[in-house]
Amino acid sequence: MEKNQLDIYRKALITLREELGQLITDSRDAAATVTLDQSMVGRLSRMDAMQAQQMAQETARRRQLQLQKIDNALRHIDAGDYGHCFKCGDELTAARLNFDPASTRCVGCMDN
């Protein structure tokens, strides 16, 4: 892969990492512990709050995984082996990397 293409993907990955970092910071309160004080809120409201908390925690977990994928892709760029499927070794298409610059598998290996 050419250096200018790698620079484009590096910038895209860094931008994604910054956006995810901001989203993680902004959503920390949503995943906080739910207060279960029955004198303040009703049972259904508490159940809604607990469901919202669980959804926020799952979203935070997925964002952390995406952040790890981005960091791994940046390491692969630095190592000089970015843009290849880790399963079969084929070069990833530009369309695949444009869709998700942190991709580690080709479309064929994603199905297997």
Side-chain angles (χ1 to χ4, degrees):
M1 187 175 297
E2 295 181 18
K3 183 177 176 1
N4 62 343
Q5 287 176 311
L6 286 175
D7 289 340
I8 291 169
Y9 291 127
R10 180 189 308 275
K11 287 177 186 175
L13 287 162
I14 290 171
T15 300
L16 282 172
R17 184 173 60 185
E18 290 170 355
E19 290 171 359
L20 271 176
Q22 188 62 44
L23 286 171
I24 290 169
T25 301
D26 292 346
S27 64
R28 284 210 171 114
D29 290 339
T33 303
V34 176
T35 303
L36 298 177
D37 185 0
Q38 288 184 340
S39 65
M40 295 178 65
V41 289
R43 183 172 52 120
L44 292 177
S45 296
R46 286 192 314 277
M47 289 171 59
D48 287 342
M50 290 183 342
Q51 181 181 21
Q53 176 197 28
Q54 289 297 317
M55 289 175 18
Q57 288 174 346
E58 178 60 20
T59 299
R61 185 189 69 78
R62 289 179 186 204
R63 287 177 178 158
Q64 285 293 340
L65 287 174
Q66 184 65 22
L67 202 54
Q68 289 175 357
K69 283 179 61 177
I70 290 169
D71 288 340
N72 286 338
L74 289 168
R75 279 193 287 278
H76 284 287
I77 288 174
D78 293 338
D81 60 355
Y82 176 77
H84 295 306
C85 176
F86 82 91
K87 196 167 181 182
C88 70
D90 288 347
E91 189 169 335
L92 299 175
T93 64
R96 178 98 175 114
L97 292 173
N98 289 338
F99 178 75
D100 181 9
S103 295
T104 57
R105 294 185 192 178
C106 65
V107 175
C109 289
M110 287 296 292
D111 293 335
N112 297 331

